[in-house]
Amino acid sequence: MSIEQKTFGTMPDGTKIHLYTLKNTNGACIQAMEYGARVVSIQVPDRKGTFGNVVLGHDTLEEYLADGDFLGAAVGRYANRIGGGTAEIDGTPYSFSQNENGNTLHGGFQGFHQKVWRLKCSNNDDEAPSITFAYRSIDGEEGFPGNLDVSICYTLTTDNALVIDYKAKTDASTLVNLTNHSFFNLTGDPARDILSHELQIYADHFTAAGQDLVPTGEFAPVAGTPADFRTAKTIGQDIRAADPFLRKCNGYDHNFVLAGEPGRKKAAEVYDQSTGRVMLVFTDMPGMQLYTANGFSEGVVANGGIPLQAHHALCLETQFFPDAPHHENFPSAVLRPGEVYQHTTTYKFEVRK
């Protein structure tokens, strides 16, 4: 196993951005970089032993710098949406950057996905190489209170799993909801869609949302809806159903209420029959957003210059529920001084013969 470092590109201000490659003894490798603490590629085998990159990425740093690009990114301070861009934290009202139709999305205009993270440490362990990125979000950034110190550790295990450990501390009560926004395509070919991927999600409910995609506070049963993935089905089976929310979003953009007791649990399983690749998702977070890459800006391309198209990837973003500050029945996303925000998500890759 090993960790390799190289320069990936240079920021407009001259800051060099480094790309780190983690390899294990099976030949699997994961690449991540300092800009946005992004996962750039995940190389894992198919049933024939052929390796392929199962996440969408770009060939150059300049492409990642485009506004609205979230490929592989760390998302924060608050992943997903805060309705109205305002919230009370311990009785004090705050107003955040309103960057989507009057709401706050993925941390505001300049979220964590657009920040240069520093390499805090690396561990070239024979069993599980890892790298840890760190970022300080200053008090008032995008309207959020408190100086927030964040670290994200990426570990590649011997059984081809990417383990993501998140930690954060604050010096004032604030909101924290971190996730990873990798776009997965288990075929390894961004020119192919993911509608034939079979998906199972361990959730009986999702957080119902209005046309602005902000939750209403209701836990809606998945039973009898296109969002029922309790039994594995292809993503394409119901994606074009006569459902107002699906049609509004041009696909799935649902936050699922994960079943089971608090703590680490299996959240989802994805299977691509054409390659035999399987991805298992485990997390200790209460929710997971399914997003089926419902649209990309015109002219945006993936590695090799392949145009990015709707439904050619899916995201499984583990997180607190969107708009949690406005719903007392949602798990709290408030972090206070002296507390540690800490959670772990695992994306494990296997092969089905």
Side-chain angles (χ1 to χ4, degrees), residues 42-124:
I42 301 176
Q43 295 276 347
V44 291
D46 63 10
R47 65 164 60 94
K48 296 179 181 178
T50 302
F51 283 79
N53 179 18
V54 296
V55 293
L56 301 187
H58 300 300
D59 290 328
T60 67
L61 175 62
E62 286 71 25
E63 292 169 289
Y64 283 103
L65 298 181
D67 188 45
D69 191 295
F70 286 95
L71 297 193
V75 180
R77 268 188 207 198
Y78 198 97
N80 221 308
R81 293 171 176 86
I82 300 175
T86 63
E88 281 195 6
I89 304 173
D90 289 346
T92 301
Y94 293 94
S95 180
F96 316 118
S97 296
Q98 298 173 13
N99 61 320
E100 188 201 52
N101 302 320
N103 303 314
T104 301
L105 173 66
H106 290 338
F109 292 105
Q110 295 288 323
F112 288 3
H113 65 292
Q114 294 170 296
K115 304 299 184 181
V116 176
W117 295 59
R118 64 179 177 85
L119 182 69
K120 183 177 181 180
C121 63
S122 61
N123 183 3
N124 200 5

Side-chain angles (χ1 to χ4, degrees), residues 7 105 127 161 192 234 254 263 284 299 321 353:
T7 300
L105 173 66
E127 293 299 321
R192 296 172 61 183
T234 63
H254 293 62
D284 51 13
F321 301 161
K353 301 296 184 182

Side-chain angles (χ1 to χ4, degrees), residues 1-332:
M1 297 188 180
S2 65
I3 299 177
E4 298 175 357
Q5 173 190 321
K6 71 175 184 179
T7 300
F8 184 66
T10 304
M11 296 290 292
D13 66 358
T15 302
K16 290 188 180 300
I17 300 298
H18 297 100
L19 179 71
Y20 300 89
T21 302
L22 284 64
K23 298 180 180 179
N24 70 13
T25 53
N26 301 322
C29 73
I30 291 167
Q31 291 184 313
M33 68 168 164
E34 293 157 329
Y35 178 69
R38 293 176 185 243
V39 174
V40 173
S41 71
I42 301 176
Q43 295 276 347
V44 291
D46 63 10
R47 65 164 60 94
K48 296 179 181 178
T50 302
F51 283 79
N53 179 18
V54 296
V55 293
L56 301 187
H58 300 300
D59 290 328
T60 67
L61 175 62
E62 286 71 25
E63 292 169 289
Y64 283 103
L65 298 181
D67 188 45
D69 191 295
F70 286 95
L71 297 193
V75 180
R77 268 188 207 198
Y78 198 97
N80 221 308
R81 293 171 176 86
I82 300 175
T86 63
E88 281 195 6
I89 304 173
D90 289 346
T92 301
Y94 293 94
S95 180
F96 316 118
S97 296
Q98 298 173 13
N99 61 320
E100 188 201 52
N101 302 320
N103 303 314
T104 301
L105 173 66
H106 290 338
F109 292 105
Q110 295 288 323
F112 288 3
H113 65 292
Q114 294 170 296
K115 304 299 184 181
V116 176
W117 295 59
R118 64 179 177 85
L119 182 69
K120 183 177 181 180
C121 63
S122 61
N123 183 3
N124 200 5
D125 187 280
D126 286 341
E127 293 299 321
S130 66
I131 52 172
T132 301
F133 296 113
Y135 174 70
R136 165 164 271 212
S137 177
I138 62 171
D139 178 39
E141 186 175 278
E142 301 295 323
F144 290 92
N147 294 298
L148 187 75
D149 290 303
V150 185
S151 68
I152 300 178
C153 178
Y154 297 119
T155 302
L156 175 61
T157 66
T158 55
D159 58 354
N160 293 355
L162 169 61
V163 181
I164 308 178
D165 290 298
Y166 303 84
K167 288 185 180 180
K169 294 182 179 181
T170 183
D171 60 8
S173 294
T174 191
L175 299 174
V176 186
N177 186 26
L178 307 177
T179 194
N180 178 269
H181 213 311
S182 286
F183 287 70
F184 296 98
N185 183 324
L186 298 186
T187 70
D189 181 359
R192 296 172 61 183
D193 67 49
I194 48 81
L195 297 179
S196 62
H197 282 32
E198 295 178 16
L199 173 63
Q200 184 173 14
I201 297 176
Y202 298 88
D204 299 318
H205 297 83
F206 63 95
T207 52
Q211 288 296 296
D212 59 357
L213 310 188
V214 175
T216 63
E218 175 193 1
F219 291 159
V222 300
T225 77
D228 191 351
F229 288 93
R230 292 174 297 174
T231 300
K233 67 178 181 181
T234 63
I235 293 172
Q237 177 175 314
D238 296 320
I239 198 169
R240 294 187 173 89
D243 177 271
F245 194 75
L246 278 177
R247 291 188 170 181
K248 163 73 175 178
C249 299
N250 189 38
Y252 290 97
D253 199 355
H254 293 62
N255 173 68
F256 287 86
V257 180
L258 297 176
E261 297 299 317
R264 186 177 187 269
K265 51 190 163 289
K266 188 176 183 180
E269 181 170 334
V270 190
Y271 170 56
D272 172 46
Q273 187 176 18
S274 69
T275 63
R277 291 190 181 101
V278 179
M279 183 175 75
L280 311 175
V281 184
F282 301 88
T283 188
D284 51 13
M285 291 299 277
M288 182 182 69
Q289 189 86 8
L290 166 64
Y291 176 60
T292 48
N294 300 325
F296 292 97
S297 299
E298 186 176 354
V300 178
V301 299
N303 300 106
I306 297 173
L308 290 178
Q309 302 178 58
H311 308 147
H312 281 224
L314 76 154
C315 304
L316 294 172
E317 307 158 60
T318 60
Q319 56 191 258
F320 283 122
F321 301 161
D323 200 36
H326 293 133
H327 305 285
E328 291 185 357
N329 58 323
F330 286 8
S332 174

